Amino acid sequence: MSFVSIAFDTGIRRRPSGSLGQFIRFFGAAISLWVLYSATYSRLDALSITISFYSGMLALAFLIISPSANSGGEKVSAVDKAASVLSIVTGAYFLYYADTIAARITLFDPLTVYDVVFASLIILLTIEVMRRTVGLGLTVIVILFMVYNLFGDHLSGMLSHGDISYTHFLDVMTFTTDGLFGVPLRVAATYAFLFVMFGTALAKCGGSEFFFNLAASLTGRTAGGPAKIAVISSGLYGTISGSPTSDVVTTGAITIPMMKRLGYSSRFAGAVEVAASTGGSLLPPVMGAAAFIMAEYTGIPYSEIAIAALIPALLYYVPIYVQVHLRAKRLGLRGLSAEDVPKILPVLKQGFLFVIPLVAISWSLINGYTPTYSAVYGLLAVIIVASLKKSTRIGLKASLEILSETATRMVPVAGACAAAGLVIGGITMTGLASKFGVLVFAISGQDVFISLVVAAALTLLLGLGMPTPSAYILAAVLIAPVMVKLQIPALQGHLFLLYFAVMSALTPPVAVAAYAASALAEANPLSIALDAVKISIGAFLVPFAFVFNDAILLKGPILEIVFSVASVTVGLVAIAVAAEGFLFGILKVYYRLALAVAGLCLLSSQLMPVIIGVSAITAVGVLLVINRNEM
């Protein structure tokens, strides 16, 4: 087993039968009902809500996630049952003293013996759940940060910090909102959870099937139809799932075998699904937990983030769709037969109502409602829409399954957010963020473009093997201060980091989405990841475009927005053609280089490079038509 696979190794989902299985289902449903109540009607403070949610997640994790991938079996060991009970007891202790914790003065009021014991317990339980849910890679990073917090004062030079005792460490990590119970878990305990519930409910009553059939009816019969179905359906499904990995396993189970059957190679089929699914986490209205954390961390309303992210998310898919089409033309692949493709009108007639919940969320966000209530309105819209037909109606059994499945899906998210909280606490204690900024400026010489390249590379590096929320929060804490010093507005700066945190899911060597696709495609995950990077090469350039030109984020006069979006779109198409090396036929190297340079020019916010880019593309087009037989 390779180091990469070990770092990515997690426990497996257990589905105990009998009375324990029933208890787990009801327990998961109870957590979901509590979150629904506490986020909307409860007058509890944020700390109490976060503590109660997290202790439930810890307890559920030990019951449904095995210690390792090789432990096997559906039986829950006595140790795991004890750990689950201990999670509840520990949470109850913190909840009982929540008012005292909120009122105490950090590092001034001493910790009691019980405080130290229960604080140590919850950190140990967190580390174990983190290892089971998000893998050894992130767990090791968190442990290294903890070791640095406790012993970094023995280092010399820039990385050294003041003495931090064990009680000091516990005080900040568990008795403040700067550590474990900070922003990431608070977001997971409120609107991130509710948006996952919305997505689960929509999928349960047939929404995901409608999106797939819609994509199939639109593109199924065109060249490379199955791959285009993957691109569109994965993007649509991503708007309700917000998770690249779950998107891959859900839509990829259908699209990858279909692509392989019609002539695409296994690695390319997996790569298309990975690239398309990854972009789903960037597509509004539901952009995943990382975007919610961004809203909480920056203070920018989520509605503003979602509106700004719309065009960049659509631009993400432009080069992917173009390359999929050109690859199909190059290989002579045809679409699906007419009998295999659903007709558009019956599809719309049967499922157009499933668009209403997405409209409800979008409408509520635009009209200033909080993400929490927007998710609730979307959930209510799903229930109302589903009740109009007997086949989609959500009964008592289906409701229990939705509530239980939502809690189960949130377990790895809670583990990732807890890890992010521990890292944030450690960075806050040691002042590492400012030292990290010095390192970036030392590399870039304070040049904005070079600093952005370094920031992108570091974000991808920080995101290796990590869930998107953890990757983003690490980048936000360590790299965002650099953006501030470069005078990049918070929206562009954090959206830039979010974009690359999402892209880390397909970036080798630890491309988590590629690992999810490898079993379905029966291909090497590293090969899938490399192809996915090539397919989405233009997407790596979009964040640079919107940092230098906020018209792409729908800011500014309408004519400027239209011109900028059109220019970037043409540029991404040119880059996609250059990457694929095919248009009317195989392109020679100098044509590909000319198109790549022209495409980069069109991504600029300056008029002169855009004119050069348009001129170059026109010249290449004319030459290709004249010399069509000599390409």
Side-chain angles (χ1 to χ4, degrees):
M1 184 179 291
S2 68
F3 172 77
V4 169
S5 59
I6 292 173
F8 186 58
D9 187 32
T10 62
I12 56 174
R13 167 80 184 275
R14 289 187 293 217
R15 291 177 172 82
S17 57
S19 57
L20 180 59
Q22 290 282 54
F23 169 78
I24 290 173
R25 278 189 286 276
F26 280 106
F27 182 54
I31 292 173
S32 293
L33 288 173
W34 166 248
V35 171
L36 192 58
Y37 167 76
S38 64
T40 54
Y41 293 107
S42 173
R43 295 187 178 275
L44 279 175
D45 60 275
L47 180 63
S48 297
I49 290 173
T50 306
I51 291 170
S52 59
F53 161 79
Y54 186 56
S55 61
M57 285 287 102
L58 284 176
L60 186 61
F62 283 110
L63 295 176
I64 66 171
I65 307 295
S66 66
S68 71
N70 299 320
S71 54
E74 302 298 330
K75 186 177 179 181
V76 180
S77 67
V79 173
D80 281 351
K81 291 177 182 177
S84 182
V85 172
L86 191 59
S87 299
I88 296 295
V89 172
T90 304
Y93 177 84
F94 279 95
L95 193 59
Y96 183 78
Y97 288 104
D99 291 339
T100 305
I101 294 171
R104 68 187 300 277
I105 302 173
T106 306
L107 304 180
F108 181 77
D109 294 334
L111 299 179
T112 67
V113 173
Y114 289 113
D115 287 341
V116 172
V117 169
F118 281 103
S120 301
L121 275 175
I122 200 165
I123 287 179
L124 289 173
L125 292 168
T126 295
I127 290 172
E128 174 56 17
V129 166
M130 195 191 315
R131 184 193 65 79
R132 295 187 186 200
T133 57
V134 295
L136 188 61
L138 179 56
T139 306
V140 168
I141 289 173
V142 171
I143 291 173
L144 288 174
F145 266 102
M146 292 168 63
V147 170
Y148 174 67
N149 295 154
L150 293 170
F151 303 106
D153 57 306
H154 297 294
L155 297 175
S156 59
M158 188 175 68
L159 291 178
S160 179
H161 59 73
D163 178 54
I164 297 175
S165 66
Y166 185 61
T167 53
H168 177 169
F169 172 80
L170 292 179
D171 200 339
V172 174
M173 284 295 189
T174 58
F175 292 96
T176 72
T177 54
D178 292 328
L180 181 62
F181 301 122
V183 169
L185 265 183
R186 188 163 68 246
V187 169
T190 51
Y191 43 90
F193 194 102
L194 295 177
F195 272 107
V196 171
M197 188 183 294
F198 160 78
T200 305
L202 188 58
K204 186 71 177 177
C205 64
S208 56
E209 183 181 351
F210 162 69
F211 290 137
F212 181 86
N213 288 335
L214 179 62
S217 64
L218 291 172
T219 63
R221 296 183 65 182
T222 63
K228 293 174 183 176
I229 292 172
V231 173
I232 296 176
S233 63
S234 296
L236 291 173
Y237 184 77
T239 65
I240 63 173
S241 74
S243 168
T245 306
S246 69
D247 203 346
V248 165
V249 297
T250 303
T251 59
I254 301 172
T255 59
I256 290 175
M258 196 187 301
M259 283 186 273
K260 290 173 63 178
R261 190 171 70 247
L262 289 186
Y264 283 110
S265 67
S266 296
R267 60 183 284 179
F268 187 79
V272 169
E273 183 59 46
V274 167
S277 296
T278 299
S281 297
L282 297 166
L283 193 61
V286 184
M287 298 169 61
F292 303 137
I293 293 172
M294 175 181 164
E296 193 77 18
Y297 191 78
T298 61
I300 300 171
Y302 180 73
S303 57
E304 186 177 340
I305 293 172
I307 291 170
L310 178 60
I311 297 301
L314 295 175
L315 289 173
Y316 174 97
Y317 283 98
V318 169
I320 296 174
Y321 191 90
V322 169
Q323 285 197 66
V324 162
H325 175 76
L326 294 176
R327 179 67 63 94
K329 288 290 189 181
R330 181 176 183 176
L331 298 177
L333 302 179
R334 291 179 293 179
L336 297 170
S337 59
E339 56 268 21
D340 291 332
V341 178
K343 295 191 178 347
I344 183 69
L345 289 179
V347 168
L348 290 175
K349 183 178 178 181
Q350 185 177 6
F352 78 96
L353 289 174
F354 288 122
V355 176
I356 293 176
L358 295 176
V359 173
I361 288 178
S362 303
W363 174 87
S364 56
L365 286 172
I366 291 170
N367 283 274
Y369 289 91
T370 65
T372 296
Y373 281 101
S374 297
V376 171
Y377 293 150
L379 186 60
L380 289 174
V382 170
I383 295 171
I384 294 170
V385 165
S387 67
L388 298 177
K389 291 184 179 180
K390 186 177 180 181
S391 60
T392 60
R393 202 164 292 154
I394 301 175
L396 186 61
K397 182 180 178 182
S399 298
L400 178 64
E401 289 174 354
I402 289 167
L403 293 169
S404 178
E405 185 63 28
T406 300
T408 300
R409 288 185 178 186
M410 282 301 296
V411 166
V413 177
C417 289
L422 291 175
V423 171
I424 291 172
I427 291 171
T428 302
M429 273 188 282
T430 59
L432 185 60
S434 60
K435 300 170 185 176
F436 205 82
V438 172
L439 174 63
V440 172
F441 282 135
I443 297 172
S444 67
Q446 300 196 22
D447 179 85
V448 175
F449 179 75
I450 297 176
S451 295
L452 287 174
V453 172
V454 174
L458 289 174
T459 304
L460 291 173
L461 183 64
L462 291 169
L464 292 181
M466 284 197 189
T468 302
S470 300
Y472 165 71
I473 202 67
L474 271 176
V477 174
L478 290 172
I479 303 172
V482 176
M483 303 286 196
V484 174
K485 291 181 180 177
L486 293 171
Q487 298 184 333
I488 296 172
L491 180 61
Q492 282 105 303
H494 280 268
L495 202 55
F496 180 93
L497 298 177
L498 175 64
Y499 216 104
F500 280 101
V502 169
M503 296 299 287
S504 68
L506 60 76
T507 307
V510 191
V512 291
Y515 273 84
S518 63
L520 297 170
E522 298 178 321
N524 184 285
L526 184 58
S527 299
I528 290 175
L530 290 171
D531 266 16
V533 169
K534 180 185 175 184
I535 293 170
S536 55
I537 189 68
F540 284 91
L541 303 172
V542 172
F544 291 92
F546 66 63
V547 165
F548 290 107
N549 185 4
D550 63 357
I552 299 170
L553 303 180
L554 299 178
K555 304 280 187 182
I558 185 67
L559 288 178
E560 184 181 346
I561 291 172
V562 171
F563 176 80
S564 297
V565 172
S567 173
V568 172
T569 301
V570 174
L572 290 173
V573 170
I575 290 168
V577 173
E580 191 59 33
F582 183 89
L583 190 55
F584 306 118
I586 303 296
L587 294 179
K588 292 183 177 178
V589 174
Y590 49 82
Y591 285 129
R592 297 176 67 178
L593 287 174
L595 285 172
V597 172
L600 290 173
C601 287
L602 286 168
L603 299 185
S604 172
S605 59
Q606 304 299 315
L607 182 59
M608 186 53 66
V610 171
I611 292 174
I612 293 172
V614 171
S615 302
I617 288 176
T618 304
V620 169
V622 170
L623 288 172
L624 287 177
V625 171
I626 294 172
N627 303 312
R628 191 164 180 174
N629 297 324
E630 300 177 11
M631 289 186 291

